[in-house]
Amino acid sequence: MPELPDLEYIQPRLKAALVGQTIRSVIIKEPILIRNLTGETSESVLLNRTFQNIERVGPFIDFQLDGMRCVVHCMLAGRFELSPIESELQLKSQSKPNGNKYRAAVQFQCDSNVLSYSDSKKMGKIYLAPEDESRLAQIPGFRNQGIGILSDAFDLQTFISLLKKERRQVRVFLMDQTKLSAIGNAYADEILFDAGLHPKTMCTQLNDSDKERLYHSIGAVIERGIRAVADAGRDISAKVRDHMLVRNRLHAPCPRCQTPIRRANVRGVDAFFCPTCQPETRKGFIDWNKKL
Ligand SMILES: [Zn+2]
């Protein structure tokens, strides 16, 4: 669930609540989510470790504990929740399979907070790794993130050079985290709508003005997302999507031209777009007479 604007909201809140806190107990209800590279059991390796720092690395949250790392990739449905430490009795009642307030897959009870991670699709991953660069490099995607789209290094010239030898569809390129770190499904749709580019456009079809517009749309849409998530001021487990103009708005009127929003399949994933504001650039992919 969380994309970059969500993680920009979540990370500082996790950091403020947890740095300096020690993990006093560990509950793992969904071991399938854990990838343990430490050689010790997950519970024992985490127990009594203190959070030193918490950073965002692309789509990952990097929990830096004393002597080890816990790196979380939420994928589609993972979400964090923070709550104050509760009495032992309450914790026992929460750990029952039904009526569990948190439905937490993994829970760390710290000195004064409880960090819960839940994941209804069980697609997210929690990597436990020693402070060892060769082990951290084994975490898929963690050490080969592309240029941070919020970093100063992400300028127009760099963006254009990334597109130079690019032969893929523009939406596939935008979501390649080894190039751009990091754009997910929701913001990819919003960026392409902002830039007026059909999601199936090939990168080779982009002219100079398209490239410049796309670059500025990335910055504008992500900044708008960060502001919207901050303004919503919701709990870190909340999914803030009210500001989306096309994502998951199938058949709703386009906010610019009132044409119903359509959905297309781009490499196996749904892409939402306005067929008027984002005109087709290649023939034969979508039958407009067919109800999508
Ligand atoms: Zn439109």
Side-chain angles (χ1 to χ4, degrees), residues 193 246 253-261 273-278:
F193 175 69
V246 291
C254 166
R256 280 193 201 136
C257 74
Q258 309 303 307
T259 305
I261 299 298
F273 67 104
C274 168
T276 304
C277 297
Q278 298 165 267

Side-chain angles (χ1 to χ4, degrees), residues 51-65:
F51 290 96
Q52 307 289 318
N53 196 11
I54 298 167
E55 291 184 340
R56 180 184 67 78
V57 177
F60 299 91
I61 294 288
D62 178 14
F63 294 92
Q64 300 169 12
L65 295 150

Side-chain angles (χ1 to χ4, degrees), residues 17-23 49-52 65 110-113:
L18 294 172
V19 168
Q21 298 261 315
T22 300
I23 300 174
R49 303 267 187 185
T50 301
F51 290 96
Q52 307 289 318
L65 295 150
C110 306
D111 299 315
S112 56
N113 285 306

Side-chain angles (χ1 to χ4, degrees), residues 4-290:
L4 198 140
D6 307 300
L7 293 172
E8 283 290 295
Y9 181 77
I10 292 168
Q11 177 265 335
R13 281 159 180 80
L14 290 173
K15 187 173 171 175
L18 294 172
V19 168
Q21 298 261 315
T22 300
I23 300 174
R24 300 300 180 189
S25 99
V26 177
I27 299 173
I28 298 175
K29 289 185 197 154
E30 300 286 358
I32 194 170
L33 300 174
I34 309 267
R35 294 289 180 275
N36 186 340
L37 308 168
T38 66
E40 293 179 54
T41 68
S42 303
E43 285 86 351
S44 65
V45 80
L46 286 161
L47 209 59
N48 297 320
R49 303 267 187 185
T50 301
F51 290 96
Q52 307 289 318
N53 196 11
I54 298 167
E55 291 184 340
R56 180 184 67 78
V57 177
F60 299 91
I61 294 288
D62 178 14
F63 294 92
Q64 300 169 12
L65 295 150
D66 50 338
M68 70 166 289
R69 304 283 268 275
C70 171
V71 177
V72 181
H73 191 186
C74 293
M75 298 293 291
L76 285 183
R79 54 185 70 193
F80 296 104
E81 186 162 341
L82 278 169
S83 52
I85 193 86
E86 306 195 34
S87 72
E88 222 167 292
L89 193 69
Q90 282 172 303
L91 287 168
K92 270 184 191 156
S93 74
Q94 282 163 20
S95 64
K96 285 179 186 166
N98 296 317
N100 179 354
K101 183 181 156 196
Y102 294 108
R103 296 186 309 277
V106 175
Q107 203 171 65
F108 298 163
Q109 289 156 34
C110 306
D111 299 315
S112 56
N113 285 306
V114 179
L115 171 65
S116 304
Y117 174 83
S118 59
D119 193 331
S120 59
K121 294 199 188 297
K122 297 183 178 54
M123 286 174 71
K125 293 282 174 290
I126 300 172
Y127 299 93
L128 305 179
E131 275 292 358
D132 173 340
E133 209 35 62
S134 67
R135 288 306 177 88
L136 291 169
Q138 290 175 1
I139 299 173
F142 185 56
R143 282 292 185 245
N144 56 347
Q145 287 288 305
I147 189 160
I149 56 173
L150 296 177
S151 73
D152 292 340
F154 181 59
D155 55 23
L156 178 60
Q157 205 176 354
T158 308
F159 181 65
I160 287 172
S161 70
L162 283 175
L163 276 166
K164 224 162 221 166
K165 289 183 180 163
E166 192 53 61
R167 296 282 176 271
R168 293 174 293 179
Q169 296 176 27
V170 65
R171 193 178 189 280
V172 177
F173 162 75
L174 286 179
M175 292 188 60
D176 181 348
Q177 287 169 12
T178 67
K179 305 282 183 198
L180 303 174
S181 174
I183 298 170
N185 275 305
Y187 284 94
D189 283 351
E190 296 296 306
I191 288 165
L192 290 170
F193 175 69
D194 192 79
L197 293 170
H198 189 282
K200 285 179 184 272
T201 306
M202 303 302 289
C203 289
T204 48
Q205 294 176 296
L206 300 175
N207 60 31
D208 289 349
S209 123
D210 292 334
K211 290 174 187 173
E212 194 170 337
R213 213 169 56 251
L214 182 57
Y215 169 77
H216 290 297
S217 290
I218 292 172
V221 168
I222 295 294
E223 287 298 332
R224 203 185 303 147
I226 289 172
R227 272 201 310 277
V229 174
D231 290 349
R234 311 228 312 250
D235 186 87
I236 60 166
S237 63
K239 184 175 181 174
V240 181
R241 293 288 184 268
D242 316 335
H243 57 290
M244 296 276 154
L245 301 178
V246 291
R247 182 70 190 170
N248 284 331
R249 292 178 55 81
L250 184 65
H251 304 319
C254 166
R256 280 193 201 136
C257 74
Q258 309 303 307
T259 305
I261 299 298
R262 306 298 289 248
R263 181 174 56 196
N265 186 292
V266 180
R267 291 284 166 103
V269 294
D270 283 338
F272 295 83
F273 67 104
C274 168
T276 304
C277 297
Q278 298 165 267
E280 191 179 5
T281 44
R282 292 190 293 156
K283 292 289 166 202
F285 281 97
I286 298 193
D287 178 358
W288 295 115
N289 297 317
K290 204 176 94 184

